[in-house]
């Protein structure tokens, strides 16, 4: 089931997949589709948070709440920091041109 949405955040339909394929096989497909309508009272005050949209990577679609989206953001940021540290510490060896 697809989330009804007004917009795609990354406008993935506009990507030239050939130009970004070197960035990773899923790069051009990563997106977030915001839900058409969320009850404002549920968004702000409900104990069980409502689905606010769909996070898309490749052919996988996951409906998420605001809290889950925040956790995805924090996890991705931490993952990037760990990878940067691993590179700087030489965990993966040295880069050669």
């Amino acid at each position: 089931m697809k989330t009804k949405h007004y917009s795609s955040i990354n406008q993935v339909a506009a990507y030239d997949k050939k130009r970004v394929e070197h960035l990773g096989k899923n790069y051009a497909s990563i997106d977030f589709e915001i839900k058409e309508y969320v009850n404002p009272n549920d968004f702000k005050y409900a104990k069980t948070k409502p689905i606010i949209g769909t996070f898309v990577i490749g052919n996988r679609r996951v409906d998420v709440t605001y809290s889950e989206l925040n956790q995805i953001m924090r996890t991705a940021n931490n993952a990037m920091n760990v990878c940067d540290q691993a590179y700087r510490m030489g965990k993966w060896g040295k880069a050669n041109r």
Side-chain angles (χ1 to χ4, degrees):
M1 182 169 86
K2 291 189 176 183
T3 303
K4 289 185 179 180
H5 62 279
Y6 281 127
S7 64
S8 162
I9 301 299
N10 286 336
Q11 308 275 323
V12 295
Y15 278 112
D16 179 354
K17 290 178 178 39
K18 291 283 186 196
R19 288 186 167 204
V20 295
E21 67 185 3
H22 68 283
L23 299 173
K25 68 178 183 177
N26 292 312
Y27 183 87
S29 69
I30 298 171
D31 203 3
F32 178 75
E33 298 170 349
I34 192 166
K35 197 169 175 185
E36 186 175 328
Y37 176 79
V38 175
N39 183 312
N41 289 322
D42 289 347
F43 180 79
K44 186 70 176 175
Y45 301 113
K47 185 170 185 168
T48 303
K49 296 301 182 188
I51 301 296
I52 59 163
T54 303
F55 197 73
V56 181
I57 298 178
N59 61 356
R60 305 282 310 241
R61 303 175 62 81
V62 180
D63 290 342
V64 293
T65 65
Y66 186 82
S67 298
E68 290 167 331
L69 198 56
N70 188 32
Q71 182 67 6
I72 291 168
M73 179 187 65
R74 288 192 313 239
T75 301
N77 187 46
N78 288 336
M80 290 176 68
N81 287 334
V82 167
C83 291
D84 286 340
Q85 288 174 348
Y87 171 74
R88 285 195 307 272
M89 291 172 32
K91 181 175 183 176
W92 299 328
K94 286 198 163 224
N96 299 319
R97 279 218 163 220

